[in-house]
Amino acid sequence: QKEVEQNSGPLSVPEGAIASLNCTYSDRGSQSFFWYRQYSGKSPELIMFIYSNGDKEDGRFTAQLNKASQYVSLLIRDSQPSDSATYLCAVIGQAGTALIFGKGTTLSVSS
Amino acid sequence: GAGVSQSPRYKVAKRGQDVALRCDPISGHVSLFWYQQALGQGPEFLTYFQNEAQLDKSGLPSDRFFAERPEGSVSTLKIQRTQQEDSAVYLCASSKQGNTEAFFGQGTRLTVV
């Protein structure tokens, strides 16, 4: 079992809709959770981080963490075509300091 | 500098050639990470430095891979006797501390022919 799992997609949503991206992780002691956006041919760009159970909102983005279920999600409200990218979930495990990434979910927002 | 800077952006190497990839982290960032990203995959961890100390090199795929950060700032990832399977994007990231948010450079795309 890979340490961080994401559905590779593609996830297709119409412009203005809510996009929901999900991620599960295997290390129950993980403490830090991150969402990166990666446009084709570009490097990952940090968009959200969350350390505590619950929701964290930043503009159109909401990160949700449920440590009991080992589940992290990212909601993008009012999706725009410019949100079309691959979204990478990353976790820092209990014993480590390095980010462990999932394979990423490709999001396509159609206008 | 304002962000993490990597050079070269692109590198084509003949099989068997040695290559050196450079990373200049954000000023003041203690932690530096190297990742390898194959097409369609998430970045895979290679190695981690805290200042000049290499604290974790568990992700280096073989002894042909070597990384250093001698003065705790700029880092170099060296790959000896390159093989075709080494073709990937090599990403460098830095952070203020080891388990806080990390920022990536533009990456070096290595193609071994």
Side-chain angles (χ1 to χ4, degrees):
Chain A
Q1 180 192 7
K2 195 162 168 40
E3 294 181 60
V4 179
E5 298 268 8
Q6 292 182 258
N7 188 326
S8 60
L11 173 65
S12 298
V13 300
E15 185 175 357
I18 295 175
S20 177
L21 303 156
N22 305 313
C23 170
T24 58
Y25 59 94
S26 61
D27 183 347
R28 184 168 286 279
S30 298
Q31 297 294 324
S32 307
F33 307 86
F34 305 84
W35 284 99
Y36 285 81
R37 177 176 62 198
Q38 187 171 29
Y39 292 112
S40 181
K42 302 294 185 183
S43 62
E45 173 194 9
L46 179 67
I47 53 173
M48 290 285 291
F49 59 89
I50 186 167
Y51 301 140
S52 304
N53 270 330
D55 295 0
K56 179 181 179 183
E57 187 174 318
D58 183 0
R60 295 187 297 112
F61 298 97
T62 298
Q64 299 175 317
L65 174 61
N66 183 326
K67 289 186 178 181
S69 300
Q70 295 175 238
Y71 178 90
V72 194
S73 65
L74 180 70
L75 300 178
I76 307 174
R77 288 180 298 282
D78 187 24
S79 296
Q80 302 296 310
S82 58
D83 295 326
S84 298
T86 296
Y87 288 81
L88 297 161
C89 173
V91 173
I92 296 179
Q94 183 177 27
T97 49
L99 295 162
I100 307 299
F101 284 87
K103 287 178 123 177
T105 298
T106 301
L107 172 67
S108 177
V109 181
S110 54
S111 56
Chain B
V4 179
S5 179
Q6 291 187 246
S7 61
R9 292 291 312 278
Y10 304 92
K11 176 70 179 177
V12 178
K14 290 186 178 178
R15 193 159 51 116
Q17 195 175 5
D18 296 350
V19 299
L21 312 180
R22 176 189 168 102
C23 173
D24 198 343
I26 294 172
S27 179
H29 278 197
V30 168
S31 298
L32 185 146
F33 306 86
W34 282 99
Y35 287 83
Q36 180 190 60
Q37 188 173 25
L39 195 63
Q41 303 293 317
E44 295 278 348
F45 169 74
L46 294 177
T47 188
Y48 159 61
F49 290 86
Q50 183 172 303
N51 294 308
E52 69 279 3
Q54 189 175 20
L55 298 186
D56 187 345
K57 53 182 182 179
S58 61
L60 296 176
S62 78
D63 58 7
R64 295 186 296 103
F65 287 70
F66 171 77
E68 59 183 6
R69 193 185 185 197
E71 297 178 358
S73 178
V74 171
S75 176
T76 304
L77 176 67
K78 297 179 179 177
I79 309 173
Q80 298 177 321
R81 303 181 304 281
T82 52
Q83 303 294 315
Q84 281 195 312
E85 62 263 28
D86 300 334
S87 295
V89 175
Y90 290 85
L91 294 164
C92 176
S94 71
S95 67
K96 288 182 181 178
Q97 291 294 338
N99 59 355
T100 59
E101 52 272 30
F103 299 91
F104 283 83
Q106 321 95 301
T108 294
R109 182 177 296 278
L110 173 65
T111 304
V112 181
V113 297

